[in-house]
Amino acid sequence: MKKLLIASSFLISTFALTPPSQAQQTATVEVFDQPIELQLGGYMTWYTTYANQKKTTAILESDRVTLRPIGSYNNVDVMGDAEIYFSGSTTLRNGVKIGAMIQLEAGTDSDTSNHTIDETYMTVDSGIGRVIVGNVKNVSNQMSVTSPTVSTLGLQETDFRRLLVGPGNFAYNKATYALLDDISTKLSYITPTFSGFTFGISLMPGNKKKGKDSDDLLIPNDGIKLFRYGVDTTALFQHDFGKFNIEASASYTMYKPNLRANAPENPGMNLAFAEEKNINEYGAGLNIGFGNWSVGGSYHYTNLSEITGLFLNPYANVAKGSSWDFGVEYTAGPFGVSANVFQSRAESLLVNDKKDIYSVYLVSGQYKILAGVDAFIDIAYLDFDSASRNPAASNKGPAVAIGMNLNF
């Protein structure tokens, strides 16, 4: 029923742009005579890594309760990630463009190796903007301005967390935009650009991520539903002033947590009568480009209750506190270098009135060998500095990744 309602509203918004008779004729001619033909695309990344971290750091077991130390681990490894994109579109006689995107997982990324499909969604583009419906990230993730970087492993949501693990019960936010809904089913709208301004909104039903929706509107039998519903809004400004250009963004996100319904899944927590206060997130970013240089950063604040933070911590990196980043990028022809710093300061779950501090320092280089083929090096230092004095509650160390990225 939910899919039928979404599809119905999607078609209504499309054909409202033409008279009923023309809409019917357009649908018959364009959809059946010129169907969408999917094209192939995607990327593949492989790299050799080195990392050195604290073996005494305690991480959460699969049951999300028991803690165990890292113990022995590989300092050197070969890692990679890849996705295959199937995309296509068709244009109706009234000028409305309808498109589809399916992203097939094809790599060894441990965060997604148990998923076959990543993002999968439909788009409708017209003179009044773009509608996106499906399994995709929210508009603040798509539109927010963060510090410039040429990094392949990234600063926001960095893949270096695959090499240096976060300790159990460590509170932090891993980006300066909203992440709780992740890649999940939602309905988004992005306006056309007016005088450099673009606005977007995502309406997010709180079902499971990676498209693994329940077959009803109840909590899925094989997992939890982190929030009931949410809304994400973003404003983006982009303008070229000749000698320099500016990108700026501002965002607001609200989630209604789903504590009481998950009480049976968390018998050790007092969720049955918990007050379900909204999670509110605020973000802003600014980049300035001049010549071959670009400099900028972003800031984000997340406000949630203590009981909500305790509930979410084992499942998602969402905590009460602030995060920010700053970076400088220089590009000349096929070469690019950048230096960045990211930091999260969140209220500790282990020590009252203290903060856990998560920091990432990153230096990156990239060389474009030819179109779609890049060689890169990322050098990072991660520091999970817990408010607790227990050495097992913290982790830190350097990491290096050298490899090649293919876009096709």
Side-chain angles (χ1 to χ4, degrees):
M1 177 60 71
K2 183 177 70 172
K3 293 181 179 179
L4 178 61
L5 291 174
I6 291 177
S8 299
S9 62
F10 189 68
L11 292 174
I12 289 171
S13 65
T14 301
F15 294 113
L17 300 175
T18 59
S21 59
Q22 183 181 353
Q24 181 64 41
Q25 180 183 5
T26 301
T28 302
V29 174
E30 297 292 346
V31 173
F32 291 102
D33 289 352
Q34 297 183 14
I36 294 176
E37 295 183 1
L38 295 180
Q39 306 295 320
L40 286 177
Y43 72 89
M44 177 176 290
T45 303
W46 289 99
Y47 49 91
T48 300
T49 66
Y50 167 83
N52 189 3
Q53 59 192 310
K54 294 169 57 179
K55 295 183 180 181
T56 57
T57 297
I59 61 174
L60 288 169
E61 287 279 18
S62 58
D63 60 10
R64 303 183 185 279
V65 177
T66 305
L67 294 173
R68 68 174 176 85
I70 293 175
S72 299
Y73 56 87
N74 289 342
N75 289 96
V76 179
D77 203 353
V78 175
M79 306 180 75
D81 189 21
E83 290 186 6
I84 300 173
Y85 299 159
F86 302 90
S87 62
S89 64
T90 188
T91 302
L92 306 184
R93 290 186 177 181
N94 58 5
V96 175
K97 185 176 182 179
I98 300 177
M101 167 67 81
I102 303 170
Q103 298 179 1
L104 175 67
E105 293 287 354
T108 61
D109 187 333
S110 59
D111 290 335
T112 57
S113 59
N114 62 333
H115 302 289
T116 303
I117 299 295
D118 194 20
E119 297 187 30
T120 173
Y121 56 91
M122 294 173 59
T123 59
V124 176
D125 292 287
S126 67
I128 62 173
R130 160 171 280 202
V131 175
I132 308 171
V133 59
N135 198 47
V136 66
K137 295 185 177 182
N138 58 42
V139 291
S140 67
N141 192 297
Q142 298 179 48
M143 299 169 61
S144 289
V145 174
T146 60
S147 64
T149 183
V150 300
S151 172
T152 297
L153 270 63
L155 182 72
Q156 308 269 340
E157 303 180 82
T158 178
D159 279 349
F160 275 115
R161 291 179 304 108
R162 298 169 63 189
L163 308 180
L164 290 94
V165 301
N169 295 324
F170 187 89
Y172 72 107
N173 296 291
K174 57 184 181 181
T176 56
Y177 42 78
L179 288 173
L180 184 57
D181 55 290
D182 194 50
I183 299 174
S184 61
T185 51
K186 57 179 61 74
L187 177 66
S188 300
Y189 168 69
I190 300 176
T191 70
T193 299
F194 302 98
S195 301
F197 288 94
T198 309
F199 302 90
I201 182 170
S202 291
L203 304 178
M204 306 171 293
N207 221 323
K208 292 189 68 180
K209 64 182 183 179
K210 297 295 182 186
K212 293 191 173 182
D213 279 354
S214 172
D215 56 3
D216 52 39
L217 292 180
L218 301 177
I219 296 178
N221 295 328
D222 60 342
I224 67 169
K225 195 173 182 180
L226 296 179
F227 61 94
R228 296 184 185 181
Y229 55 83
V231 59
D232 178 64
T233 60
T234 301
L236 173 66
F237 175 73
Q238 298 172 300
H239 190 75
D240 189 343
F241 292 92
K243 292 185 178 180
F244 67 97
N245 60 77
I246 288 180
E247 289 186 324
S249 68
S251 64
Y252 168 73
T253 311
M254 183 278 292
Y255 301 100
K256 171 64 74 174
N258 209 27
L259 304 181
R260 298 170 194 166
N262 287 293
E265 299 287 336
N266 297 265
M269 300 180 64
N270 187 22
L271 298 179
F273 303 99
E275 184 178 1
E276 296 179 320
K277 294 182 179 179
N278 291 345
I279 303 170
N280 295 296
E281 303 191 34
Y282 313 86
L286 174 66
N287 276 357
I288 300 175
F290 46 95
N292 296 334
W293 293 88
S294 183
V295 60
S298 58
Y299 176 84
H300 190 259
Y301 181 75
T302 301
N303 190 19
L304 49 79
S305 66
E306 181 180 2
I307 189 68
T308 301
L310 288 169
F311 162 65
L312 291 176
N313 181 260
Y315 310 104
N317 298 123
V318 178
K320 182 176 182 179
S322 62
S323 58
W324 60 271
D325 76 335
F326 180 80
V328 178
E329 175 186 294
Y330 176 81
T331 57
F335 293 95
V337 294
S338 61
N340 301 82
V341 59
F342 174 92
Q343 187 172 92
S344 165
R345 303 175 66 90
E347 290 192 2
S348 174
L349 303 175
L350 303 175
V351 182
N352 292 334
D353 300 323
K354 297 291 185 179
K355 295 184 183 299
D356 292 342
I357 302 174
Y358 163 67
S359 303
V360 181
Y361 306 93
L362 178 64
V363 176
S364 305
Q366 183 185 72
Y367 176 72
K368 296 184 181 300
I369 301 174
L370 50 84
V373 180
D374 306 331
F376 68 89
I377 179 171
D378 282 349
I379 304 173
Y381 187 89
L382 274 63
D383 187 0
F384 296 87
D385 185 11
S386 173
S388 172
R389 294 185 178 180
N390 185 348
S394 298
N395 193 16
K396 62 181 178 180
V400 179
I402 302 175
M404 184 169 291
N405 183 56
L406 310 179
N407 289 282
F408 43 86

